């Protein structure tokens, strides 16, 4: 969904990379949601350990980790856009699945 922004100050390619890294980590660790009872700190540590284990020695290890950390910290305009697009995705999925309305925080 990173193609939705036409802002010249947002690097769309970086948004795409951030989205992919985020989704890959969710696939590996599972998508941990607040209902699971796992704190943000625990979730962060689980993801960090799994990234280090799975990518150790890989040529993409550092870039992948840096992108994951950037997304987690929401430290750049691109990571903030990806977070907001993620919220939009949840709303669209709920609408498509007929789940009614809810508040995304």
């Amino acid at each position: 969904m990173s193609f939705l922004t036409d802002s010249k100050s947002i690097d769309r390619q970086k948004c795409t990379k951030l989205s992919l890294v985020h989704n890959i980590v969710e696939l590996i660790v599972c998508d941990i949601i607040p209902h699971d009872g796992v704190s943000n700190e625990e979730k962060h540590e689980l993801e960090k350990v799994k990234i280090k284990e799975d990518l150790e020695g890989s040529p993409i290890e550092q870039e992948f980790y840096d992108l994951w950390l950037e997304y987690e910290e929401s430290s750049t305009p691109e990571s903030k856009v990806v977070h907001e697009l993620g919220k939009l995705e949840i709303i669209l999925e709920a609408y498509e699945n007929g789940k009614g309305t809810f508040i995304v925080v």
Side-chain angles (χ1 to χ4, degrees):
M1 288 216 295
S2 59
F3 63 88
L4 292 176
T5 181
D6 63 354
S7 171
K8 302 294 183 214
S9 63
I10 300 294
D11 181 344
R12 291 179 359 178
Q13 183 177 5
K14 188 166 196 179
C15 287
T16 301
K17 285 182 174 184
L18 288 164
S19 297
L20 286 171
V21 165
H22 169 69
N23 287 327
I24 289 168
V25 171
E26 281 186 348
L27 286 170
I28 293 169
V29 178
C30 293
D31 189 9
I32 300 170
I33 59 173
H35 180 71
D36 294 332
V38 178
S39 72
N40 285 339
E41 293 79 18
E42 290 173 295
K43 176 184 177 288
H44 183 85
E45 192 58 32
L46 284 169
E47 292 177 351
K48 179 180 172 181
V49 167
K50 195 64 176 158
I51 290 167
K52 292 292 186 182
E53 284 177 2
D54 289 357
L55 294 176
E56 187 174 0
S58 165
I60 64 164
E61 177 183 6
Q62 193 61 52
E63 180 184 14
F64 193 98
Y65 179 77
D66 291 345
L67 287 165
W68 170 78
L69 192 59
E70 180 179 332
Y71 175 84
E72 286 295 305
E73 293 177 348
S74 204
S75 59
T76 62
E78 289 82 5
S79 60
K80 290 175 182 168
V81 165
V82 173
H83 273 278
E84 294 305 314
L85 289 173
K87 292 175 187 177
L88 176 60
E89 179 184 20
I90 291 168
I91 293 167
L92 292 173
E93 285 176 6
Y95 177 78
E96 256 191 28
N97 294 329
K99 302 268 186 202
T101 60
F102 59 94
I103 299 172
V104 177
V105 289

